[in-house]
Amino acid sequence: MTELPDTPPVPVRELAEIPAVEVITRSAVMLMSAAAEKLGLSAEDPHDSPHRDLDEARRLITALAGLVTASAEYLGPHAGPIRDGLKTLQLAFRESTAAPEEPGHGPGEKYTGPVW
């Protein structure tokens, strides 16, 4: 048990006990959330978000695409929603750039193929 000051004891889950699909899924969700922030999607107007950084968003989306592509066979029922989230981020990236790239050249599309 790990104790923090003035908090009740919190059990620590050993990493070895966590199934691989859970680690992969959590990683994908973290990448999706970070990419959405870097696209400014949590702001009322994404173009005015202080967190907007398309270069960083590109890196996160590409990392997510690589993870999803490499682990799709292990994700079971989680694969579809994660792929949908990835595609949504790829499309949001395309819509938020001043000069959108050709289909097949956007973030992560070397792993997923063109996104329309």
Side-chain angles (χ1 to χ4, degrees):
M1 299 270 215
T2 302
E3 289 189 26
L4 298 174
D6 302 315
T7 61
V10 178
V12 176
R13 190 168 171 194
E14 294 295 323
L15 192 55
E17 296 175 10
I18 302 173
V21 68
E22 187 175 334
V23 173
I24 295 166
T25 303
R26 285 184 184 188
S27 299
V29 169
M30 181 179 288
L31 288 166
M32 279 191 242
S33 298
E37 284 295 326
K38 296 297 183 178
L39 288 170
L41 298 180
S42 64
E44 190 171 313
D45 180 358
H47 296 285
D48 290 336
S49 171
H51 305 292
R52 184 177 160 98
D53 184 334
L54 297 181
D55 198 39
E56 288 285 302
R58 171 185 296 283
R59 293 174 187 160
L60 292 162
I61 294 167
T62 300
L64 175 62
L67 176 64
V68 170
T69 301
S71 59
E73 67 181 287
Y74 309 116
L75 295 174
H78 304 287
I82 292 173
R83 272 195 287 252
D84 291 345
L86 169 58
K87 183 176 181 178
T88 299
L89 289 168
Q90 289 172 309
L91 292 171
F93 184 92
R94 177 164 289 134
E95 291 172 6
S96 57
T97 58
E101 296 152 322
E102 293 290 321
H105 297 284
E109 291 184 22
K110 69 180 178 182
Y111 301 113
T112 63
V115 175
W116 311 99

